[in-house]
Amino acid sequence: MGTPTKSSVAEDVEVVRRILAHIDAGTTDEGDAWREPVENYLDQGRFSRELEMLRRFPSVYAPSAAIPHAGDHIERVSFGVPLFAVRGHDGRARVFRNACRHRGFALVEGHGCAHALVCRYHGWTYRLDGTVSHVPHADAFPDLDVAGRGLVEVDSRETDGLIVIGPVLDCPTDSQRMRADAAMASLTEGSPWRDKLLPAERLVYVESTARPMNWKVLVEQFLEGYHIRSTHKTTFYPIQYDDLNVIEAFGPNTRITFPYKNIERLRDRPESAWTIGRRVTFVYHLFPNVMLATFPDQVLVVTIEPVDIDHSTVTIYAMTTPAVAEVISTAPGETAGARGLLAVGALEDNEMSEGVQRGLRAGANTFLEFGTHESAIGHFHATLDERLECSR
Ligand code: FES
Ligand SMILES: [Fe+2]
């Protein structure tokens, strides 16, 4: 692993300087190359070890904007464990295991808002803090300890616009616990993304899609700009640069900056007047399986959920500022063009990832080759290997 890890990322002005220098020189940020064995995408034992390790570390669960008000709730399966998040009357976001304490029915389906959580099966009812408020025909359960039978909470923290969960499996050793704590710190110290995410406080939509791909192929999809010209010929390439990125690793995470051609307009302006928001896309890879991507009118939080060795669920939370949300609701045509472009670009990316997944079984390669311009992918695999190694 060669990409140097820093505790944070560069200021916007410094990022612009680096991009303009790369445009002038025809260069891009470079790091170490990486070769990932094809076997690591196909071996059932490896997948099981990954899943077990992933359950022993924290991860981003959902953006805060997905549940802004008391009673708002949203479910998601996290590393095979069904969970949901709900905001209480006290304003706190809590994450619970998504199973009724009667016979385990999944309490929350999809997302919604409710004063209380009522199980559809027999009607057991829970308050927003997880305590039981009502058991129909309670006399039929003479031994039931109602106070002790609340929903089972998962350790979580909400900060800088994200709800982050702790391990969903117990940490077996002190050193494992310390590693999990350090990983939690890397997802809750939000200074690299806070000012990009927090203004986008309005959820526009949530969309989950099943994808016939290994979760790591999907992660790789977001982490390089080497494919812009070939893959996105008529979508992103006309407005972006091919193979020109700023790549910054911070702890286990990475930020990749994709500049738009309008960044060159800044050359004639003093640095004090530089604005970056509509001139780059920042993709923050929040290790292991979440991407936070900024666009001129929206921010996406994308969770990539391993389902089995060659299937994943991708959930996109699209958010925007209150001002843009107002435009979308009153004049949807105004922003439709940009959103349509993004949707077509995503189709193109998924087509490529499906092709990579199919190629894994062709027997042509013993490893996938990632060049020096794709170093964020190397950082991802190196971090994954390191965590697998220390969780043995
Ligand atoms: S399983 Fe929920 S009330 Fe029976
Ligand atoms: Fe792409």
Side-chain angles (χ1 to χ4, degrees), residues 263-290:
I263 201 162
E264 298 224 40
R265 292 193 205 139
L266 297 181
R267 288 184 192 277
D268 308 328
R269 299 182 197 171
E271 289 189 359
S272 58
W274 282 3
T275 52
I276 200 170
R278 306 184 77 82
R279 302 181 196 281
V280 305
T281 278
F282 290 114
V283 173
Y284 297 81
H285 174 211
L286 303 179
F287 191 88
N289 66 329
V290 172

Side-chain angles (χ1 to χ4, degrees), residues 202 204 297-298 319-336 339:
R202 290 287 165 81
V204 185
D297 285 321
Q298 61 181 338
M319 290 153 303
T320 194
T321 57
V324 174
E326 176 74 18
V327 173
I328 292 173
S329 66
T330 53
E334 294 277 316
T335 54
R339 282 180 289 135

Side-chain angles (χ1 to χ4, degrees), residues 1-11 14-15 18 29 186 189 192 246-255 379:
M1 187 183 83
T3 315
T5 52
K6 294 164 292 184
S7 61
S8 197
V9 295
E11 297 292 325
E14 176 56 23
V15 171
R18 275 166 75 173
D29 273 10
S186 74
E189 170 34 69
V246 170
I247 300 173
E248 301 160 279
F250 53 109
N253 311 312
T254 314
R255 181 172 81 171
H379 183 62

Side-chain angles (χ1 to χ4, degrees), residues 118-238:
V118 184
C119 181
R120 284 208 290 129
Y121 202 170
H122 311 91
W124 283 33
T125 304
Y126 304 85
R127 298 180 188 89
L128 301 180
D129 64 2
T131 54
V132 178
S133 65
H134 177 62
V135 174
H137 303 289
D139 53 335
F141 302 93
D143 297 330
L144 182 67
D145 166 22
V146 172
R149 198 61 86 80
L151 297 171
V152 179
E153 191 170 351
V154 170
D155 173 42
S156 70
R157 263 198 250 167
E158 183 177 30
T159 175
D160 295 325
L162 296 173
I163 299 164
V164 181
I165 52 170
V168 289
L169 268 187
D170 280 345
C171 293
T173 62
D174 282 351
S175 64
Q176 177 69 43
R177 205 162 300 121
M178 280 168 60
R179 280 192 288 269
D181 287 348
M184 177 59 101
S186 74
L187 295 174
T188 50
E189 170 34 69
S191 54
W193 61 84
R194 181 186 298 148
D195 66 317
K196 315 287 189 273
L197 176 61
L198 287 182
E201 61 188 63
R202 290 287 165 81
L203 185 73
V204 185
Y205 65 85
V206 186
E207 191 181 83
S208 279
T209 316
R211 297 258 170 237
M213 297 162 224
N214 182 276
W215 72 282
K216 292 177 292 185
V217 172
L218 276 159
V219 168
E220 291 160 3
Q221 183 189 97
F222 291 84
L223 299 185
E224 47 87 6
Y226 172 50
H227 69 285
I228 300 289
R229 187 204 309 249
S230 309
T231 302
H232 301 299
K233 212 168 288 162
T234 60
T235 48
F236 299 148
Y237 182 53

Side-chain angles (χ1 to χ4, degrees), residues 341-360:
L341 186 72
L342 208 55
V344 177
L347 283 179
E348 292 167 343
D349 282 325
N350 284 314
E351 192 189 339
M352 295 306 135
S353 297
E354 284 181 32
V356 167
Q357 180 70 36
R358 281 198 303 277
L360 292 172

Side-chain angles (χ1 to χ4, degrees), residues 13 65 76 83 89 120 128 143 171 187 190 243 268 304 316:
V13 166
R76 184 163 79 80
L83 304 174
H89 291 298
R120 284 208 290 129
L128 301 180
D143 297 330
C171 293
L187 295 174
D243 197 23
D268 308 328
I304 298 164
I316 299 175

